[in-house]
PDB file of all heavy atoms in Angstrom:
ATOM      1  N   LYS A 184      69.018 111.813 127.150  1.00  0.00           N
ATOM      2  CA  LYS A 184      70.290 111.236 126.707  1.00  0.00           C
ATOM      3  C   LYS A 184      70.061 109.937 125.947  1.00  0.00           C
ATOM      4  O   LYS A 184      69.235 109.117 126.348  1.00  0.00           O
ATOM      5  CB  LYS A 184      71.163 110.981 127.937  1.00  0.00           C
ATOM      6  CG  LYS A 184      72.605 110.694 127.644  1.00  0.00           C
ATOM      7  CD  LYS A 184      73.393 110.528 128.921  1.00  0.00           C
ATOM      8  CE  LYS A 184      73.549 111.847 129.631  1.00  0.00           C
ATOM      9  NZ  LYS A 184      74.483 111.793 130.735  1.00  0.00           N
ATOM     10  N   SER A 185      70.808 109.741 124.866  1.00  0.00           N
ATOM     11  CA  SER A 185      70.699 108.476 124.131  1.00  0.00           C
ATOM     12  C   SER A 185      71.195 107.337 125.011  1.00  0.00           C
ATOM     13  O   SER A 185      72.021 107.523 125.899  1.00  0.00           O
ATOM     14  CB  SER A 185      71.516 108.530 122.840  1.00  0.00           C
ATOM     15  OG  SER A 185      72.900 108.517 123.132  1.00  0.00           O
ATOM     16  N   ARG A 186      70.688 106.141 124.771  1.00  0.00           N
ATOM     17  CA  ARG A 186      71.074 104.981 125.585  1.00  0.00           C
ATOM     18  C   ARG A 186      72.575 104.720 125.542  1.00  0.00           C
ATOM     19  O   ARG A 186      73.193 104.528 126.588  1.00  0.00           O
ATOM     20  CB  ARG A 186      70.286 103.750 125.156  1.00  0.00           C
ATOM     21  CG  ARG A 186      70.591 102.537 126.015  1.00  0.00           C
ATOM     22  CD  ARG A 186      69.513 101.475 125.878  1.00  0.00           C
ATOM     23  NE  ARG A 186      69.853 100.251 126.553  1.00  0.00           N
ATOM     24  CZ  ARG A 186      69.780 100.056 127.862  1.00  0.00           C
ATOM     25  NH1 ARG A 186      69.382 101.024 128.645  1.00  0.00           N
ATOM     26  NH2 ARG A 186      70.114  98.894 128.396  1.00  0.00           N
ATOM     27  N   PRO A 187      73.226 104.726 124.365  1.00  0.00           N
ATOM     28  CA  PRO A 187      74.684 104.500 124.350  1.00  0.00           C
ATOM     29  C   PRO A 187      75.453 105.556 125.160  1.00  0.00           C
ATOM     30  O   PRO A 187      76.388 105.225 125.884  1.00  0.00           O
ATOM     31  CB  PRO A 187      75.051 104.568 122.869  1.00  0.00           C
ATOM     32  CG  PRO A 187      73.801 104.230 122.149  1.00  0.00           C
ATOM     33  CD  PRO A 187      72.688 104.773 122.994  1.00  0.00           C
ATOM     34  N   LYS A 188      75.026 106.813 125.072  1.00  0.00           N
ATOM     35  CA  LYS A 188      75.696 107.883 125.831  1.00  0.00           C
ATOM     36  C   LYS A 188      75.480 107.684 127.327  1.00  0.00           C
ATOM     37  O   LYS A 188      76.407 107.838 128.126  1.00  0.00           O
ATOM     38  CB  LYS A 188      75.156 109.240 125.379  1.00  0.00           C
ATOM     39  CG  LYS A 188      75.670 110.408 126.167  1.00  0.00           C
ATOM     40  CD  LYS A 188      77.099 110.731 125.863  1.00  0.00           C
ATOM     41  CE  LYS A 188      77.501 112.032 126.532  1.00  0.00           C
ATOM     42  NZ  LYS A 188      78.771 111.947 127.212  1.00  0.00           N
ATOM     43  N   PHE A 189      74.263 107.315 127.711  1.00  0.00           N
ATOM     44  CA  PHE A 189      73.981 107.067 129.119  1.00  0.00           C
ATOM     45  C   PHE A 189      74.860 105.935 129.655  1.00  0.00           C
ATOM     46  O   PHE A 189      75.470 106.064 130.718  1.00  0.00           O
ATOM     47  CB  PHE A 189      72.501 106.728 129.318  1.00  0.00           C
ATOM     48  CG  PHE A 189      72.195 106.256 130.702  1.00  0.00           C
ATOM     49  CD1 PHE A 189      72.127 107.152 131.753  1.00  0.00           C
ATOM     50  CD2 PHE A 189      71.987 104.910 130.978  1.00  0.00           C
ATOM     51  CE1 PHE A 189      71.854 106.726 133.041  1.00  0.00           C
ATOM     52  CE2 PHE A 189      71.718 104.468 132.256  1.00  0.00           C
ATOM     53  CZ  PHE A 189      71.644 105.379 133.294  1.00  0.00           C
ATOM     54  N   LEU A 190      74.920 104.817 128.922  1.00  0.00           N
ATOM     55  CA  LEU A 190      75.719 103.675 129.375  1.00  0.00           C
ATOM     56  C   LEU A 190      77.208 104.024 129.448  1.00  0.00           C
ATOM     57  O   LEU A 190      77.901 103.630 130.383  1.00  0.00           O
ATOM     58  CB  LEU A 190      75.488 102.474 128.458  1.00  0.00           C
ATOM     59  CG  LEU A 190      74.078 101.871 128.530  1.00  0.00           C
ATOM     60  CD1 LEU A 190      73.917 100.782 127.475  1.00  0.00           C
ATOM     61  CD2 LEU A 190      73.772 101.340 129.914  1.00  0.00           C
ATOM     62  N   ALA A 191      77.691 104.786 128.473  1.00  0.00           N
ATOM     63  CA  ALA A 191      79.096 105.206 128.490  1.00  0.00           C
ATOM     64  C   ALA A 191      79.374 106.085 129.708  1.00  0.00           C
ATOM     65  O   ALA A 191      80.407 105.925 130.378  1.00  0.00           O
ATOM     66  CB  ALA A 191      79.441 105.951 127.204  1.00  0.00           C
ATOM     67  N   ASP A 192      78.458 106.997 130.014  1.00  0.00           N
ATOM     68  CA  ASP A 192      78.626 107.860 131.192  1.00  0.00           C
ATOM     69  C   ASP A 192      78.626 107.050 132.482  1.00  0.00           C
ATOM     70  O   ASP A 192      79.411 107.312 133.397  1.00  0.00           O
ATOM     71  CB  ASP A 192      77.528 108.919 131.251  1.00  0.00           C
ATOM     72  CG  ASP A 192      77.690 110.003 130.213  1.00  0.00           C
ATOM     73  OD1 ASP A 192      78.746 110.054 129.547  1.00  0.00           O
ATOM     74  OD2 ASP A 192      76.743 110.800 130.060  1.00  0.00           O
ATOM     75  N   GLN A 193      77.737 106.049 132.578  1.00  0.00           N
ATOM     76  CA  GLN A 193      77.673 105.219 133.777  1.00  0.00           C
ATOM     77  C   GLN A 193      78.955 104.407 133.956  1.00  0.00           C
ATOM     78  O   GLN A 193      79.472 104.290 135.058  1.00  0.00           O
ATOM     79  CB  GLN A 193      76.457 104.295 133.736  1.00  0.00           C
ATOM     80  CG  GLN A 193      75.145 105.033 133.863  1.00  0.00           C
ATOM     81  CD  GLN A 193      75.062 105.858 135.133  1.00  0.00           C
ATOM     82  OE1 GLN A 193      75.220 105.357 136.224  1.00  0.00           O
ATOM     83  NE2 GLN A 193      74.823 107.145 134.982  1.00  0.00           N
ATOM     84  N   LEU A 194      79.476 103.856 132.862  1.00  0.00           N
ATOM     85  CA  LEU A 194      80.739 103.121 132.948  1.00  0.00           C
ATOM     86  C   LEU A 194      81.880 104.041 133.354  1.00  0.00           C
ATOM     87  O   LEU A 194      82.729 103.667 134.164  1.00  0.00           O
ATOM     88  CB  LEU A 194      81.059 102.437 131.618  1.00  0.00           C
ATOM     89  CG  LEU A 194      80.289 101.162 131.349  1.00  0.00           C
ATOM     90  CD1 LEU A 194      80.561 100.672 129.930  1.00  0.00           C
ATOM     91  CD2 LEU A 194      80.649 100.085 132.351  1.00  0.00           C
ATOM     92  N   SER A 195      81.896 105.237 132.802  1.00  0.00           N
ATOM     93  CA  SER A 195      82.936 106.203 133.156  1.00  0.00           C
ATOM     94  C   SER A 195      82.874 106.539 134.647  1.00  0.00           C
ATOM     95  O   SER A 195      83.902 106.572 135.324  1.00  0.00           O
ATOM     96  CB  SER A 195      82.770 107.467 132.317  1.00  0.00           C
ATOM     97  OG  SER A 195      83.731 108.421 132.662  1.00  0.00           O
ATOM     98  N   LYS A 196      81.668 106.778 135.168  1.00  0.00           N
ATOM     99  CA  LYS A 196      81.506 107.070 136.597  1.00  0.00           C
ATOM    100  C   LYS A 196      81.940 105.879 137.445  1.00  0.00           C
ATOM    101  O   LYS A 196      82.568 106.046 138.490  1.00  0.00           O
ATOM    102  CB  LYS A 196      80.049 107.403 136.912  1.00  0.00           C
ATOM    103  CG  LYS A 196      79.612 108.757 136.460  1.00  0.00           C
ATOM    104  CD  LYS A 196      78.147 108.960 136.815  1.00  0.00           C
ATOM    105  CE  LYS A 196      77.620 110.231 136.216  1.00  0.00           C
ATOM    106  NZ  LYS A 196      76.188 110.419 136.472  1.00  0.00           N
ATOM    107  N   ALA A 197      81.586 104.676 137.003  1.00  0.00           N
ATOM    108  CA  ALA A 197      81.902 103.480 137.773  1.00  0.00           C
ATOM    109  C   ALA A 197      83.398 103.240 137.855  1.00  0.00           C
ATOM    110  O   ALA A 197      83.903 102.729 138.850  1.00  0.00           O
ATOM    111  CB  ALA A 197      81.215 102.261 137.149  1.00  0.00           C
ATOM    112  N   MET A 198      84.136 103.608 136.819  1.00  0.00           N
ATOM    113  CA  MET A 198      85.573 103.339 136.779  1.00  0.00           C
ATOM    114  C   MET A 198      86.407 104.549 137.177  1.00  0.00           C
ATOM    115  O   MET A 198      87.630 104.475 137.161  1.00  0.00           O
ATOM    116  CB  MET A 198      85.962 102.868 135.376  1.00  0.00           C
ATOM    117  CG  MET A 198      85.310 101.534 135.034  1.00  0.00           C
ATOM    118  SD  MET A 198      85.792 100.881 133.441  1.00  0.00           S
ATOM    119  CE  MET A 198      84.916 101.957 132.336  1.00  0.00           C
ATOM    120  N   ASP A 199      85.764 105.648 137.555  1.00  0.00           N
ATOM    121  CA  ASP A 199      86.464 106.862 137.934  1.00  0.00           C
ATOM    122  C   ASP A 199      87.166 106.672 139.280  1.00  0.00           C
ATOM    123  O   ASP A 199      86.614 106.123 140.213  1.00  0.00           O
ATOM    124  CB  ASP A 199      85.471 108.019 138.026  1.00  0.00           C
ATOM    125  CG  ASP A 199      86.156 109.360 138.156  1.00  0.00           C
ATOM    126  OD1 ASP A 199      87.272 109.506 137.639  1.00  0.00           O
ATOM    127  OD2 ASP A 199      85.549 110.269 138.754  1.00  0.00           O
ATOM    128  N   ILE A 207      77.387 100.660 140.682  1.00  0.00           N
ATOM    129  CA  ILE A 207      76.889 101.419 139.542  1.00  0.00           C
ATOM    130  C   ILE A 207      76.710 100.513 138.332  1.00  0.00           C
ATOM    131  O   ILE A 207      75.752 100.629 137.584  1.00  0.00           O
ATOM    132  CB  ILE A 207      77.820 102.604 139.190  1.00  0.00           C
ATOM    133  CG1 ILE A 207      77.763 103.646 140.313  1.00  0.00           C
ATOM    134  CG2 ILE A 207      77.414 103.242 137.869  1.00  0.00           C
ATOM    135  CD1 ILE A 207      78.685 104.823 140.105  1.00  0.00           C
ATOM    136  N   ILE A 208      77.624  99.556 138.144  1.00  0.00           N
ATOM    137  CA  ILE A 208      77.591  98.685 136.976  1.00  0.00           C
ATOM    138  C   ILE A 208      76.418  97.712 137.051  1.00  0.00           C
ATOM    139  O   ILE A 208      75.788  97.405 136.066  1.00  0.00           O
ATOM    140  CB  ILE A 208      78.929  97.959 136.787  1.00  0.00           C
ATOM    141  CG1 ILE A 208      79.994  98.986 136.451  1.00  0.00           C
ATOM    142  CG2 ILE A 208      78.828  96.909 135.690  1.00  0.00           C
ATOM    143  CD1 ILE A 208      81.375  98.428 136.327  1.00  0.00           C
TER     144      ILE A 208
END
Side-chain angles (χ1 to χ4, degrees):
K184 194 177 289 190
S185 71
R186 183 162 173 77
K188 175 73 172 134
F189 171 76
L190 292 174
D192 287 351
Q193 291 303 304
L194 282 173
S195 178
K196 285 179 188 177
M198 295 183 287
D199 191 30
I207 292 177
I208 294 176

